[in-house]
Amino acid sequence: EQLQESGGGLVQPGGSLRLICTASGLDFDHYAVAWFRQAPGKEREGVSCSGRSGRSTYYADSVTGRFTISRDNAKTTIYLQMNNLKPEDTAMYYCAAASCSGGSTVAEPLFPGYWGQGTQVTVAS
């Protein structure tokens, strides 16, 4: 299976980006999928997670109210709409099949050690 991230870029504080994650070779609608991010010098963290149907969604406290996760199972694609971006959102963003959590962890990857190339988000003026 493969998950391909895209949509990152350089944006000013307060700006918006929409990240896209497209899956292939995966029974997409059988899996919850999450977005993770890793900033330089920091551990990878869960940002948002979508249940298999998209009805259940989970967010890190730091992005609640600013980010929205959604999925289109027919297109085997998951999105992360990011609004009101802040410099602290700067990181490499990854998507992965995951187990969603309602706690502070947000999500745990189902296949640890397997990550795509990610997409870089840089928020700077």
Side-chain angles (χ1 to χ4, degrees):
E1 70 280 350
Q2 183 175 3
L3 295 170
Q4 181 69 50
E5 306 92 345
S6 63
L10 172 64
V11 64
Q12 293 185 342
S16 298
L17 285 173
R18 187 176 76 154
L19 304 186
I20 300 169
C21 170
T22 302
S24 60
L26 179 73
D27 289 330
F28 187 74
D29 58 356
H30 290 187
Y31 293 93
V33 179
W35 285 97
F36 298 83
R37 68 185 180 187
Q38 187 168 22
K42 295 187 176 181
E43 293 187 355
R44 202 183 320 251
E45 63 175 352
V47 175
S48 183
C49 191
S50 170
R52 290 177 293 176
S53 69
R55 286 193 296 269
S56 298
T57 57
Y58 306 82
Y59 298 93
D61 289 343
S62 59
V63 307
T64 297
R66 300 188 297 121
F67 290 10
T68 302
I69 192 170
S70 61
R71 65 190 292 164
D72 185 336
N73 285 345
K75 296 181 178 179
T76 64
T77 299
I78 193 160
Y79 306 94
L80 186 68
Q81 178 66 42
M82 307 188 296
N83 298 328
N84 190 21
L85 282 160
K86 303 177 180 181
E88 51 263 43
D89 295 318
T90 296
M92 187 71 78
Y93 284 70
Y94 304 86
C95 60
S99 174
C100 297
S101 169
S104 59
T105 304
V106 180
E108 293 285 352
L110 290 180
F111 309 109
Y114 175 82
W115 297 96
Q117 64 182 18
T119 187
Q120 176 67 39
V121 171
T122 302
V123 185
S125 54

